[in-house]
Amino acid sequence: MEETKEPAEMTLDEVRERFSHDRFATVNGAVIDEIGEGCARCSMALKDTHRNALGAVMGGAIFTLADFAFAVASNWNKNPQVSLNASISFLGRAKGERLIAEARKIREGKKTCYYEVMISDELGNQVAHMTSNGFTL
Protein backbone atom coordinates (compact mmCIF):
# COMPACT_ATOMS: atom_id res chain seq x y z
CA MET A 1 0.00 0.00 0.00
CA GLU A 2 1.33 3.45 -0.94
CA GLU A 3 2.04 5.78 1.96
CA THR A 4 0.16 9.08 1.82
CA LYS A 5 2.04 12.16 2.93
CA GLU A 6 0.66 15.03 4.94
CA PRO A 7 0.80 18.23 2.84
CA ALA A 8 3.38 19.79 5.17
CA GLU A 9 5.71 16.84 4.42
CA MET A 10 5.69 17.40 0.65
CA THR A 11 9.02 18.02 -1.05
CA LEU A 12 9.59 20.90 -3.44
CA ASP A 13 9.54 18.47 -6.37
CA GLU A 14 6.19 17.04 -5.22
CA VAL A 15 4.75 20.55 -4.94
CA ARG A 16 6.07 21.35 -8.43
CA GLU A 17 4.38 18.22 -9.78
CA ARG A 18 1.10 19.14 -8.09
CA PHE A 19 1.11 22.65 -9.56
CA SER A 20 2.25 21.49 -13.01
CA HIS A 21 -1.48 21.06 -13.65
CA ASP A 22 -1.92 24.83 -13.35
CA ARG A 23 -1.66 24.97 -17.13
CA PHE A 24 -2.00 28.69 -17.87
CA ALA A 25 0.78 29.70 -15.51
CA THR A 26 3.13 26.84 -16.33
CA VAL A 27 2.67 27.04 -20.10
CA ASN A 28 3.61 30.71 -19.79
CA GLY A 29 6.81 29.78 -17.95
CA ALA A 30 5.96 30.14 -14.24
CA VAL A 31 8.06 27.88 -12.00
CA ILE A 32 8.19 27.30 -8.26
CA ASP A 33 11.58 28.14 -6.75
CA GLU A 34 10.89 27.90 -3.00
CA ILE A 35 8.10 27.04 -0.58
CA GLY A 36 7.67 27.63 3.12
CA GLU A 37 4.90 27.97 5.68
CA GLY A 38 2.61 30.66 4.25
CA CYS A 39 5.05 31.68 1.54
CA ALA A 40 6.32 30.85 -1.92
CA ARG A 41 8.85 32.22 -4.39
CA CYS A 42 8.06 31.72 -8.07
CA SER A 43 9.74 33.03 -11.19
CA MET A 44 9.31 33.34 -14.94
CA ALA A 45 12.00 33.68 -17.60
CA LEU A 46 10.92 36.51 -19.88
CA LYS A 47 10.52 35.84 -23.60
CA ASP A 48 9.28 37.89 -26.52
CA THR A 49 5.83 36.35 -26.01
CA HIS A 50 5.60 38.12 -22.62
CA ARG A 51 6.07 41.58 -24.14
CA ASN A 52 3.61 44.13 -25.45
CA ALA A 53 3.90 46.31 -28.57
CA LEU A 54 6.13 48.77 -26.67
CA GLY A 55 8.56 46.02 -25.67
CA ALA A 56 7.58 46.10 -21.99
CA VAL A 57 6.38 43.03 -20.10
CA MET A 58 2.58 42.69 -20.40
CA GLY A 59 0.63 43.37 -17.24
CA GLY A 60 -1.14 40.05 -17.76
CA ALA A 61 2.18 38.17 -17.62
CA ILE A 62 3.10 39.94 -14.38
CA PHE A 63 -0.33 39.26 -12.88
CA THR A 64 -0.18 35.60 -13.94
CA LEU A 65 3.08 35.09 -12.07
CA ALA A 66 1.80 36.96 -9.00
CA ASP A 67 -1.45 34.97 -8.96
CA PHE A 68 0.49 31.71 -9.33
CA ALA A 69 2.73 32.63 -6.37
CA PHE A 70 -0.38 33.37 -4.29
CA ALA A 71 -1.89 30.01 -5.32
CA VAL A 72 1.25 28.10 -4.38
CA ALA A 73 1.77 29.91 -1.06
CA SER A 74 -1.85 29.54 0.02
CA ASN A 75 -2.44 25.98 -1.21
CA TRP A 76 0.67 23.81 -1.21
CA ASN A 77 0.22 22.51 2.35
CA LYS A 78 -3.37 23.24 3.32
CA ASN A 79 -6.99 22.94 2.27
CA PRO A 80 -7.73 24.43 -1.16
CA GLN A 81 -8.12 28.20 -1.23
CA VAL A 82 -9.36 30.28 -4.13
CA SER A 83 -8.90 33.98 -4.71
CA LEU A 84 -11.83 36.22 -3.80
CA ASN A 85 -10.15 39.46 -4.80
CA ALA A 86 -6.78 40.53 -6.11
CA SER A 87 -5.40 44.02 -6.55
CA ILE A 88 -2.18 44.76 -8.38
CA SER A 89 -0.22 47.97 -8.68
CA PHE A 90 2.42 48.22 -11.36
CA LEU A 91 5.45 50.03 -9.94
CA GLY A 92 8.08 50.00 -12.65
CA ARG A 93 9.40 48.38 -15.77
CA ALA A 94 11.18 45.02 -15.65
CA LYS A 95 14.70 45.54 -16.96
CA GLY A 96 16.04 42.04 -16.42
CA GLU A 97 15.40 38.70 -18.06
CA ARG A 98 13.42 37.08 -15.21
CA LEU A 99 10.47 38.05 -13.04
CA ILE A 100 10.39 36.93 -9.42
CA ALA A 101 7.23 36.85 -7.29
CA GLU A 102 7.47 36.42 -3.54
CA ALA A 103 4.17 35.68 -1.81
CA ARG A 104 3.71 35.74 1.95
CA LYS A 105 0.77 35.24 4.24
CA ILE A 106 -0.33 38.30 6.17
CA ARG A 107 -3.36 36.76 7.87
CA GLU A 108 -5.25 33.50 7.79
CA GLY A 109 -8.54 32.70 9.49
CA LYS A 110 -10.87 29.72 9.39
CA LYS A 111 -12.36 30.58 5.98
CA THR A 112 -10.40 33.52 4.59
CA CYS A 113 -6.79 34.52 4.06
CA TYR A 114 -4.85 37.61 2.99
CA TYR A 115 -1.53 37.51 1.11
CA GLU A 116 0.94 40.03 -0.24
CA VAL A 117 2.99 39.39 -3.37
CA MET A 118 6.03 41.45 -4.35
CA ILE A 119 7.16 41.17 -7.98
CA SER A 120 10.63 42.24 -9.08
CA ASP A 121 13.16 41.33 -11.73
CA GLU A 122 16.43 39.53 -10.99
CA LEU A 123 18.23 42.89 -10.99
CA GLY A 124 16.19 44.00 -7.98
CA ASN A 125 13.90 46.42 -9.83
CA GLN A 126 10.42 46.58 -8.26
CA VAL A 127 7.87 45.71 -10.90
CA ALA A 128 4.55 45.30 -9.06
CA HIS A 129 2.82 44.73 -5.73
CA MET A 130 -0.27 42.55 -5.41
CA THR A 131 -2.56 41.77 -2.53
CA SER A 132 -5.01 38.90 -2.65
CA ASN A 133 -7.55 37.55 -0.25
CA GLY A 134 -8.83 34.04 -0.60
CA PHE A 135 -11.55 31.73 0.59
CA THR A 136 -11.01 28.22 1.91
CA LEU A 137 -13.14 25.65 0.10
Side-chain angles (χ1 to χ4, degrees), residues 75-95:
N75 281 289
W76 79 266
N77 65 340
K78 41 183 78 64
N79 291 328
Q81 297 183 6
V82 295
S83 181
L84 288 173
N85 181 52
S87 177
I88 192 166
S89 295
F90 299 101
L91 305 173
R93 188 174 178 154
K95 296 176 181 149

Side-chain angles (χ1 to χ4, degrees), residues 41 43-44 46 51 93-102 119-127:
R41 183 177 188 263
S43 63
M44 176 187 293
L46 296 172
R51 300 192 181 276
R93 188 174 178 154
K95 296 176 181 149
E97 299 300 318
R98 175 173 290 281
L99 286 179
I100 300 160
E102 297 185 45
I119 305 93
S120 61
D121 64 18
E122 83 279 10
L123 303 174
N125 297 304
Q126 291 183 336
V127 176

Side-chain angles (χ1 to χ4, degrees), residues 12 16 32-36 39-42 72:
L12 181 57
R16 286 176 175 152
I32 303 168
D33 298 321
E34 296 176 28
I35 52 171
C39 62
R41 183 177 188 263
C42 300
V72 174

